[in-house]
Amino acid sequence: MSLTPEIVADLKEKLGKKHVMLSYNWGVQNLVRTVYEYIESRDIPVWMDIKGGIHGNINAAMAEAVENAMVICPFMTEAYQKSESCELELNYAKDCQVQIVPCMVQKQATDGGRYKASGWLGVITAGKLWTDFRDVEDDPAKIAQQSDALLLEIASKLNVDTRGGFKPVKPPPQQAPIEPAPSKPAPPKIEPTAKPVPTGDSGKGSGTLAVLVGNWSQYSGQLTCVSKGKSGVWGVNRNEDIYQQNGQKVEPLQFLLQIGHSIQDY
């Protein structure tokens, strides 16, 4: 896995105004300076004490460096483990919840065995993956290679996608809701034109008003419909008896003979 420009850009974006802090003992200062210069060449914010990181009170400057760090990289050696200042620095970083990404520098312990962090340093770095700087010596190419590996581990700790870069997923644009097509208004209901028609003053139908619909109309009362034609106004009740306008009852046959037309003509 290589450190691509996309991962570098995304790591820088992830760090924001924070920096990567390099914590070391003076015995490996030259190595750490070379790592610092390489990371700086990648335009990633990085902090080292001799690179303008210390000003004024040393303890206050160290505390400020830790508080403004998102990641701290301890370069582990026996001398680092024995240093009271390094112990205070790394413990304070742990209290500040700064991500710890260790680097292994020493290969052989003073007792002849393989060096392994122990004591307070072993507790703080237990279970963490460390970047191997043990065999880089003074080879700039090897240092650059392992510095890339260190930056990849830092990116992984900060949840940067090291497979292709950290890319926030943008939600798809929301489409405007589709409005239903306006429904056609129902045709207006045509009411029949009402024309009051007097039914005369004879008997039960006296004073009742009929509503004309064309030639024939139904109305409330004894008469069920009215015909208004050439022969005047005639009415038919529920028993199909025929009345003249004045309410006089006539037989259907007599009515037809009188007007000389069928009822359908009216």
Side-chain angles (χ1 to χ4, degrees):
M1 185 183 299
S2 60
L3 186 69
T4 63
E6 291 78 14
I7 296 175
V8 172
D10 294 339
L11 176 57
K12 182 181 177 182
E13 180 182 351
K14 191 75 171 182
L15 287 167
K17 296 182 179 180
K18 297 285 187 177
H19 57 238
V20 175
M21 181 177 180
L22 306 182
S23 177
Y24 67 99
N25 178 267
W26 284 76
V28 294
Q29 187 182 80
N30 289 336
L31 169 64
V32 176
R33 182 194 292 112
T34 306
V35 174
Y36 171 91
E37 291 171 352
Y38 180 82
I39 295 176
E40 187 181 43
S41 72
R42 289 284 201 167
D43 200 26
I44 292 174
V46 59
W47 186 97
M48 184 179 181
D49 56 355
I50 64 171
K51 291 294 185 176
I54 295 296
H55 51 84
N57 182 276
I58 295 178
N59 291 332
M62 283 293 182
E64 182 181 356
V66 170
E67 291 163 2
N68 290 320
M70 187 172 287
V71 178
I72 186 169
C73 301
F75 286 76
M76 299 187 296
T77 62
E78 283 182 313
Y80 186 93
Q81 186 172 323
K82 293 176 181 178
S83 169
E84 183 178 348
S85 297
C86 293
E87 180 179 357
L88 290 172
E89 189 175 282
L90 200 58
N91 273 299
Y92 186 54
K94 181 176 180 294
D95 291 341
C96 292
Q97 298 182 339
V98 177
Q99 288 284 354
I100 299 174
V101 181
C103 301
M104 183 62 72
V105 179
Q106 187 172 336
K107 189 172 185 178
Q108 188 175 4
T110 54
D111 60 5
R114 185 170 65 92
Y115 172 70
K116 181 180 179 181
S118 59
W120 69 269
L121 184 58
V123 171
I124 289 181
T125 60
K128 299 183 185 298
L129 295 177
W130 43 263
T131 303
D132 192 356
F133 282 91
R134 294 176 297 182
D135 295 319
V136 297
E137 299 173 351
D138 294 327
D139 188 336
K142 290 182 179 178
I143 294 175
Q145 180 180 359
Q146 292 309 106
S147 296
D148 278 351
L150 174 60
L151 291 175
L152 280 171
E153 182 60 24
I154 291 172
S156 177
K157 281 288 186 182
L158 299 182
N159 296 321
V160 174
D161 185 1
T162 55
R163 295 169 299 178
F166 173 77
K167 298 296 181 186
V169 179
K170 295 183 179 180
Q174 294 184 352
Q175 295 182 349
I178 300 175
E179 297 290 341
S183 57
K184 294 182 179 179
K189 185 177 179 180
I190 302 175
E191 298 290 342
T193 304
K195 293 183 180 180
V197 178
T199 59
D201 55 0
S202 61
K204 299 179 180 178
S206 176
T208 304
L209 294 180
V211 179
L212 294 177
V213 182
N215 263 356
W216 294 87
S217 286
Q218 293 182 345
Y219 63 96
S220 60
Q222 286 291 334
L223 298 181
T224 58
C225 54
V226 171
S227 175
K228 181 179 181 182
K230 298 175 182 179
S231 302
V233 179
W234 301 83
V236 180
N237 68 4
R238 291 183 180 87
N239 295 324
E240 296 185 354
D241 296 324
I242 299 172
Y243 290 79
Q244 294 179 354
Q245 186 176 10
N246 60 7
Q248 180 182 358
K249 180 178 178 180
V250 297
E251 295 298 327
L253 181 58
Q254 180 183 354
F255 170 72
L256 292 175
L257 292 174
Q258 183 177 352
I259 64 176
H261 299 279
S262 66
I263 293 177
Q264 283 79 2
D265 293 335
Y266 300 92

